[in-house]
Amino acid sequence: MPDPDLQRDRVYVSDSVVTEAPWARAVIIAFAAIFLALFLLLPLGLIFREALAKGIGAYWEALTDPDAVTAIQLTLLVAAIAVPLNLVFGVAASWAIAKFDFPGKSFLITLVDLPFSVSPVVAGLVYVLLFGAQGLLGPWLQSWNIQIVFALPGIVLATVFVTFPFVARELIPLMQEQGAADEEAALTLGASGLRAFLTVTLPNIRWALLYGVLLCNARAMGEFGAVSVVSGHIRGLTNTMPLHVEILYNEYNFVAAFAVASLLAILALVTLIGKTFLEWRYGEAIAHGRR
Amino acid sequence: MDIRVTDLAKEFGGARALRGVSLHVRSGELMALLGPSGSGKTTLLRIIAGLETAERGSVFFGDTDATRLSVQQRHVGFVFQHYALFRHMTVADNIAYGLRVRRRSERPSRAAISARVEELLALMQLEGYGGRHPAQLSGGQKQRVALARALAVDPRVLLLDEPFGALDAKVRKDLRAWLRQIHAQTGHTTVFVTHDQDEALELADRVAILNSGRIEQVGAPDEIHEQPASAFVASFVGDAARVPVRVLGGKAMFGETVLEAPGQAMADGAGWLWLRPYDLRLTGKGAAVVAGEPAGKLDGVIVGVRRTANGRRVEVRLQDLDVIVEADAPAGLSCGHGEQVSLAVLGGRIFPDNAK
Amino acid sequence: MSVAAAAAPARRPFFRKTGALPGFGLALGYALTWLGLIVLLPLAALFLRASSAGLAGFAATLSDPRVQHALLISFGVSAVASIAASLAGLVIAWALTRYDFPGRRVIDAMVDLPFALPTAVAGIALAALYAPDGLLGAPLARLGWQVVYNPIGIFIAMVFIGLPYAVRTVQPLIAELDRELEEAAATLGASRLQTVFQILAPPLIPAALTGLALAFARALGEYGSVIFIAGNLPGVSEIAPLLIVIKLSEFDYTGATVIAVIMLIMAFLVLLIINLIQAWSRRRMGNA
């Protein structure tokens, strides 16, 4: 149970006279509010307006279209594979980085962050160059009849690449701050290493883990550029939801495009709500809330 | 159960933390490891617990060679500096943790565990706190929970790392007396690390002084204070000032003054005389020599007077030297700033110049 | 997200090597293997491919005016857009941190929308919004401004996706600004503007630069939210990532690789710059 004291609002609202003049304050707030409304809220609202432009019937029809359904299924499947893979990686990497000292640690952290800085298109390209028909391992894979690019494995690999740092990034600063004393205490009390991990470490990091998984999942389901390059756009087969949105949009089927897009927008909103809730309720237990 | 460590050595990334430490903690004893930060005292404690492995040397609990035992097998009670309470568990669950993680065959029954928890809560004067979470406790309460958790498993020895380091002065004092009492009741062989000499001298049966990875002295608090074995101990424990002397024929010479009192045998040569306030008696300049007191006196000028709760502490700059010594002023003596005074040397310890 | 990386204070934890804690070899071994397989090996394949293309391959690709223009558009518009996002981000972060007003929490949460919203969804929404018959595009068109199918559209999309990075890197530092500093400045006779620019702004500069670099990196690599609004006219509004995709679909692997390597090196440079900024700021002010 978190200490109520630790959940103070982070905003510094002061009665101090040393602040901006009221008019300046109003201008700044107005700028922020109008800018964000025009830039963020308007596009978001537009998605739902366009999706429902021809009524709820057309909306529902677009979502139950067989190609749309397979796209939804594929997106869920890809996320269901990619997110756990990055979860395990994130926990392993942060365990090693946060609980132990070794040379080259900060370089390793930089490498973990690397995929953030790589264009999604480049992320897709590298897998095509590695596993594609003309790629390094292409001929070898073909001789074994293994299809990676333009198939599910390629989509999963590209998704894992672009979501690679999410969980690790949330855990490393938190676990570094928590140190190793809790685990050591469990060991002195007779717990095995695994037991200490399960009963002490995991509960200590659970909210940060959930936070990381939430963000990782949002990106995994929404990834477009990288997946676009490796998927081959085979309708009803290797089309994820974002790719399906693109196809429908380019076919001028706006209602259907925005209908599928609205599902992804809802995912984004759920992610934001979950994220905000975690920051508000468990701010002390996640690295993000402690800023 | 006694603890015997021999010739422990340990390095951290090229820095020597311990350089051949041997120590015997007697059964039932309360021992303090005292030293400045970086002296290796926490490392020594963690090696005893099995939280670190030494490069060399061995650790014995009684007749058992524990050197190769894992931390779980050593069965120690360890209290961490910042408590390391499991924040997602209640106080009762924290205390019960060490019993619950036991293999089924060795695990006490559920009822026995909760009885043990209640018993410890009572011992720690924490009745009614079992359902709380660590975040709802004060520092002193957390410390007591950490101790209860360590004691719950009936450890062979109890090890505490800076047990009062994170507490404020008042709570510190209360907990000290109370730890002493718990120790008397439970009788565990106990080792605690501290950098606070008051804490070590007040609480421990014996104190081990560590400096740069070596043990400088082990002894009862009186012994440490009154007969420091090295210049380091003399300077680290208590207030002491250092006066350069020459030793000639067993006598210490300060300038032309012969100081007879510090009668330790020392080879001729340069040395340092360490003086504590009680080694000096302050008199007015030219006052008559009191019968039975050595004739050799140090002259100086008062440069500062501090009123303390129990008297006046006077700072005297010695004549011809940039050395300031402290002494307690007797009642009735005028101690104005700049006044000339004399100091009779009643005691002190001499160490050769080559030592620190 | 790397916003956190930039904002997290560099605290050294208490811990030791050769401790009793198990699992180091397993955890590090697993992490390194996975990192190697997923990230390093594929990136190595890219560089291998680029080296086999040789200087001639680079020269051939880079002498194509279409490639030149795409790179120019990508770098140029990313730079302008990330600067714009950073300036807007500073004001927004200030408003969200310093003032309380109705709806502040909701707006604060909404800042991350571009981060959470799939890029393709953002892309079609922006395109529809700013299209000549769109909600914002129509009034703008009446004023004679067309923003889609040209670099202005790219600029809008890039500001959109760069915004969270710009806001989130400076926000924690604004929250940490010591009230007493500005009160001290006021007692010493400084005007409010002097206080803001001489006392409050300097500690924010490293974070603002970090946010700028992150927004730039993200904008440079961005694909989904840009291509719909850009219209992708070669030589006018075609960005480098799109050209990679086009080259790939034409089976011009060398061309795609060359553009990718240039973008990747740029990304590494940005990472390096961020690290340098943070090292510099730690040295100067003891925070990142």
Side-chain angles (χ1 to χ4, degrees):
Chain A
M1 192 173 304
D3 190 326
D5 274 357
L6 303 176
Q7 292 174 26
R8 274 168 313 180
D9 200 329
R10 273 181 279 121
V11 173
Y12 196 151
V13 183
S14 163
D15 296 331
S16 172
V17 293
V18 184
T19 182
E20 283 72 40
W23 66 267
R25 199 184 259 249
V27 167
I28 291 171
I29 293 175
F31 174 83
I34 293 171
F35 187 92
L36 292 175
L38 279 182
F39 245 74
L40 304 182
L41 285 180
L42 207 54
L44 185 68
L46 183 101
I47 295 167
F48 293 98
R49 199 187 79 150
E50 294 287 325
L52 296 167
K54 290 188 181 159
I56 196 92
Y59 180 75
W60 184 248
E61 205 171 303
L63 292 185
T64 48
D65 175 80
D67 285 347
V69 171
T70 44
I72 293 169
Q73 284 168 342
L74 181 62
T75 294
L76 293 176
L77 177 64
V78 169
I81 301 171
V83 173
L85 286 175
N86 278 334
L87 173 73
V88 175
F89 165 77
V91 171
S94 41
W95 179 265
I97 288 171
K99 307 281 180 189
F100 300 91
D101 218 349
F102 54 93
K105 185 149 88 169
S106 54
F107 183 62
L108 178 60
I109 297 178
T110 306
L111 284 183
V112 170
D113 262 347
L114 187 61
F116 273 140
S117 318
V118 176
S119 169
V121 170
V122 176
L125 173 69
V126 294
Y127 288 105
V128 174
L129 293 179
L130 198 59
F131 299 121
Q134 293 191 30
L136 278 180
L137 304 176
W140 182 79
L141 289 170
Q142 249 166 8
S143 70
W144 288 91
N145 213 6
I146 301 172
Q147 178 84 356
I148 290 185
V149 170
F150 307 142
L152 180 67
I155 298 174
V156 170
L157 281 174
T159 305
V160 169
F161 184 100
V162 294
T163 57
F164 194 77
F166 280 86
V167 177
R169 195 62 264 170
E170 292 305 321
L171 294 185
I172 290 169
L174 179 73
M175 284 169 73
Q176 281 189 329
E177 194 178 307
Q178 288 177 345
D182 281 13
E183 286 79 9
E184 288 179 346
L187 297 187
T188 63
L189 293 167
S192 66
L194 184 64
R195 181 103 186 205
F197 175 77
L198 293 176
T199 56
V200 175
T201 313
L202 269 189
N204 275 347
I205 62 172
R206 59 192 159 173
W207 299 115
L209 201 62
L210 184 61
Y211 190 92
V213 165
L214 197 69
L215 299 183
C216 183
N217 178 64
R219 184 73 195 270
M221 289 192 174
E223 179 50 32
F224 176 66
V227 172
S228 165
V229 172
V230 295
S231 95
H233 297 88
I234 308 169
R235 205 167 172 149
L237 205 61
T238 61
N239 252 356
T240 60
M241 286 165 76
L243 297 180
H244 194 58
V245 168
E246 182 196 21
I247 288 181
L248 293 170
Y249 187 83
N250 286 340
E251 288 170 351
Y252 301 104
N253 190 352
F254 291 141
V255 167
F258 278 102
V260 178
S262 73
L263 289 186
L264 290 168
I266 290 170
L267 169 74
L269 287 176
V270 169
T271 303
L272 284 186
I273 291 169
K275 178 177 175 296
T276 309
F277 176 77
L278 284 177
E279 283 170 3
W280 166 69
R281 185 76 178 80
Y282 301 104
E284 271 303 298
I286 50 178
H288 267 232
R290 211 173 299 102
R291 55 190 182 193
Chain B
M1 176 125 7
D2 63 334
I3 307 170
R4 197 181 290 272
V5 303
T6 46
D7 198 27
L8 288 178
K10 175 77 182 169
E11 255 181 44
F12 287 119
R16 286 274 176 76
L18 292 180
R19 332 168 172 236
V21 166
S22 300
L23 180 67
H24 179 212
V25 185
R26 295 171 196 143
S27 190
E29 183 173 46
L30 182 54
M31 176 174 267
L33 303 180
L34 175 66
S37 61
S39 60
K41 53 193 192 303
T42 294
T43 306
L44 174 56
L45 193 78
R46 289 171 60 88
I47 290 175
I48 295 174
L51 289 168
E52 306 282 349
T53 23
E55 276 125 36
R56 198 180 73 210
S58 53
V59 178
F60 275 81
F61 292 149
D63 295 329
T64 319
D65 182 354
T67 315
R68 302 267 156 259
L69 292 185
S70 72
V71 52
Q72 291 94 343
Q73 291 165 327
R74 290 200 194 188
H75 212 73
V76 298
F78 199 101
V79 176
F80 289 79
Q81 188 176 1
H82 300 287
Y83 325 125
L85 294 180
F86 307 134
R87 67 206 88 176
H88 61 286
M89 297 182 195
T90 62
V91 166
D93 288 341
N94 263 284
I95 297 174
Y97 186 86
L99 299 171
R100 291 203 181 128
V101 296
R102 286 190 187 169
R103 245 174 274 128
R104 190 176 295 271
S105 55
E106 297 163 27
R107 196 188 309 156
S109 72
R110 207 172 272 239
I113 290 178
S114 61
R116 178 81 178 126
V117 169
E118 285 307 316
E119 178 192 336
L120 281 160
L121 284 173
L123 181 68
M124 302 295 150
Q125 295 155 8
L126 285 169
E127 291 102 332
Y129 283 82
R132 295 215 190 175
H133 278 81
Q136 299 165 305
L137 301 180
S138 71
Q141 290 167 336
K142 284 182 194 169
Q143 183 59 275
R144 283 181 275 156
V145 174
L147 187 55
R149 185 178 68 178
L151 288 174
V153 295
D154 272 324
R156 291 192 234 200
V157 299
L158 186 60
L159 308 171
L160 304 97
D161 186 8
E162 297 272 2
F164 311 119
L167 300 169
D168 59 47
K170 172 77 175 75
V171 183
R172 249 163 197 257
K173 269 217 139 84
D174 293 348
L175 272 181
R176 253 186 236 172
W178 172 84
L179 179 65
R180 183 82 239 180
Q181 197 187 325
I182 296 280
H183 177 257
Q185 278 176 39
T186 60
H188 282 102
T189 306
T190 303
V191 182
F192 72 97
V193 159
T194 181
H195 63 268
D196 179 338
Q197 40 170 306
D198 285 343
E199 201 167 282
L201 298 177
E202 182 184 324
L203 200 49
D205 297 321
R206 287 196 307 154
V207 180
I209 310 271
L210 277 90
N211 179 33
S212 326
R214 286 205 182 81
I215 289 191
E216 296 263 344
Q217 187 174 5
V218 182
D222 289 350
E223 208 178 322
I224 296 280
H225 196 257
E226 282 154 26
Q227 291 147 27
S230 67
F232 173 80
V233 177
S235 66
F236 186 69
V237 180
D239 298 327
R242 190 170 79 149
V243 177
V245 292
R246 276 176 305 118
V247 179
L248 257 182
K251 284 185 176 163
M253 309 277 294
F254 175 70
E256 295 309 311
T257 318
V258 180
L259 304 170
E260 289 173 47
Q264 299 153 269
M266 197 192 112
D268 288 1
W272 293 99
L273 171 62
W274 291 85
L275 295 168
R276 299 199 190 283
Y278 59 72
D279 290 329
L280 297 167
R281 197 170 68 78
L282 191 70
T283 59
K285 186 155 171 86
V289 176
V290 176
E293 232 173 51
K297 286 196 172 186
L298 302 171
D299 293 331
V301 182
I302 292 181
V303 292
V305 184
R306 290 199 312 271
R307 185 79 225 176
T308 66
N310 303 312
R312 285 175 301 171
R313 179 63 60 90
V314 180
E315 294 171 19
V316 179
R317 168 171 290 133
L318 297 184
Q319 213 161 41
D320 311 324
L321 261 179
D322 198 20
V323 173
I324 293 176
V325 298
E326 295 194 356
D328 290 321
L333 184 71
S334 143
C335 294
H337 201 277
E339 274 187 50
Q340 303 272 331
V341 288
S342 287
L343 294 159
V345 180
L346 314 175
R349 304 282 291 180
I350 293 181
F351 297 100
D353 199 12
N354 53 11
K356 189 195 150 201
Chain C
M1 66 181 156
S2 46
V3 174
R11 244 174 290 186
R12 281 286 295 172
F14 160 87
F15 77 47
R16 286 135 199 280
K17 215 176 167 182
T18 66
L21 224 54
F24 175 62
L26 182 70
L28 187 66
Y30 177 82
L32 287 178
T33 308
W34 192 236
L35 180 76
L37 285 178
I38 294 294
V39 179
L40 302 182
L41 182 71
L43 288 180
L46 178 74
F47 282 101
L48 199 68
R49 181 90 199 192
S51 68
S52 74
L55 280 180
F58 269 80
T61 305
L62 291 179
S63 61
D64 180 356
R66 186 177 176 187
V67 175
Q68 291 172 359
H69 197 273
L71 287 172
L72 190 69
I73 283 284
S74 270
F75 283 107
V77 181
S78 298
V80 178
S82 52
I83 290 170
S86 294
L87 293 177
L90 264 176
V91 177
I92 292 166
W94 186 273
L96 290 176
T97 318
R98 279 303 186 103
Y99 310 140
D100 208 358
F101 50 92
R104 185 187 58 78
R105 273 180 177 283
V106 176
I107 292 182
D108 194 16
M110 287 302 291
V111 167
D112 284 321
L113 182 72
F115 180 78
L117 196 65
T119 55
V121 177
I124 63 166
L126 290 174
L129 193 61
Y130 290 96
D133 58 347
L135 214 55
L136 285 178
L140 288 172
R142 270 197 294 280
L143 293 171
W145 294 338
Q146 190 188 340
V147 293
V148 286
Y149 313 137
N150 62 35
I152 300 174
I154 302 176
F155 170 81
I156 290 174
M158 285 180 171
V159 173
F160 177 84
I161 48 143
L163 196 65
Y165 297 87
V167 175
R168 294 303 186 213
T169 40
V170 290
Q171 210 174 1
L173 277 126
I174 293 178
E176 277 170 24
L177 285 178
D178 193 347
R179 271 283 163 179
E180 290 184 356
L181 283 181
E182 51 196 296
E183 291 177 351
T187 62
L188 294 168
S191 75
R192 185 63 196 164
L193 268 187
Q194 283 172 321
T195 305
V196 168
F197 285 99
Q198 294 168 359
I199 306 298
L200 301 179
L204 303 180
I205 288 173
L209 288 177
T210 304
L212 178 77
L214 287 171
F216 176 76
R218 184 72 208 271
L220 186 63
E222 183 52 28
Y223 175 68
S225 53
V226 174
I227 56 166
F228 296 99
I229 196 173
N232 312 321
L233 307 171
V236 177
S237 59
E238 192 174 61
I239 53 166
L242 177 70
L243 202 52
I244 293 178
V245 174
I246 290 172
K247 296 263 176 206
L248 259 186
S249 65
E250 291 167 351
F251 299 104
D252 178 5
Y253 282 40
T254 304
T257 305
V258 167
I259 303 172
V261 163
I262 290 171
M263 296 191 58
L264 203 57
I265 289 173
M266 203 58 209
F268 290 163
L269 277 180
V270 171
L271 262 188
L272 185 70
I273 289 170
I274 293 174
N275 282 334
L276 289 179
I277 292 173
Q278 287 179 349
W280 169 74
S281 122
R282 257 197 298 278
R283 257 201 321 280
R284 274 205 52 200
M285 298 180 245
N287 63 29

